Amino acid sequence: MTLPALPSTALGLTWRPITPDDVPAWHELVRAIEDVDDPGERYTAEDLRDQLTDGSWKDPSADTLMGVDADGVPRAFGHVEVRPGDTRAVRAFCWGGVHPQWRGRGIGREVLAWQERRGREKIAAAGKDVPSRILVHADEHVGTQRRLLEAAGFRLVRWYLEMTRPLDDAHPAPDVALDGGLRLVPYTDDLSERVRHAHNEAFADHWGSEPRSHEDWERASVGGRAFRPQWSFVVLDGDEVAGYTLASAYEQDWAAQGYRSGWTDALGVRRAWRRRGIAPALLAASMRAFRADGMERADLAVDAENPSGALRLYTGLGFTAARRSTAYAKDC
């Protein structure tokens, strides 16, 4: 396997793949970046280890990059992932960063160029005759990252809103009744596969969404450390899953955001059951569960152009925008 050329050592860094043994030092680098950039999403050391190895398709020896200084301290990194389940479009997700004290030297440009080269190689290796793109997500307020992407020819393709809603006595969860024999039940493991298929159907018409494989679903959704089954619910019509919500606790974010929150990872209603009050009923159930466990707010994120009217739903239930993030892409 021929790998893309590494960034130049003239930048003062030596480049190599990230290994599991690097996780503690890598985490220190990520935390230094987070302290300055204040991202919406923060990472634990366990999260970083999962980024490397949790998934049979992952190859950190080829798909990761770390730049270390003369003392062996990590100062920059890059990560590229192409998920094998993509069918409508093959996506190369790129994530990386540069230590704040090492910025302004061209390191970010070199890392991004390496990510693009590796992303293109992985897309070609996927061998799928479908559209493909390289994707990078960036918080709106991190102007340096956005300028870097635009200078490299990436275009802004999507806005996302992170939304929040208080759960105090002044903002009770609404009472939403379901009709026609629909039943709201707590999520249980035996529902996992039915919920996964419902998710793939519900999001088939959403921009940037691809089917979730069994492995990816069990790894990153209902099997993740942050997942809270007691906050997650399913609406059944007989034995059919009509809708679902999956929620998590991202405790590493709470100190920076200043409150404890339940996060809605996924909310979906299959097309045949839409406009029957299922989504509000699911969200209300989660909000009550959040509050019962001492959460102060309910949080979620939404594509600002979501075709299902999700933004109207959330604002109607009392959610307000707290911050914005973006997706930049380059078609291959």
Side-chain angles (χ1 to χ4, degrees), residues 163-174 231 247-248 254 257 259-264 282-300 317-320:
M163 308 189 76
T164 187
R165 182 195 191 279
L167 298 172
D168 54 24
D169 289 341
H171 303 85
W231 296 350
S248 292
W254 292 352
Q257 67 191 23
Y259 58 85
R260 295 161 54 88
S261 64
W263 180 274
T264 296
L282 288 163
L283 284 170
S286 283
M287 284 190 273
R288 286 189 287 271
F290 294 159
R291 183 172 180 185
D293 279 353
M295 298 301 104
E296 299 164 90
R297 286 180 169 267
D299 288 352
L300 51 80
L317 290 172
F319 286 84
T320 58

Side-chain angles (χ1 to χ4, degrees), residues 15 46 48 63 70 102 167 196 322 325:
W15 302 92
E46 291 80 8
L48 298 183
D63 300 335
W102 283 71
L167 298 172
R196 180 177 72 88
S325 62

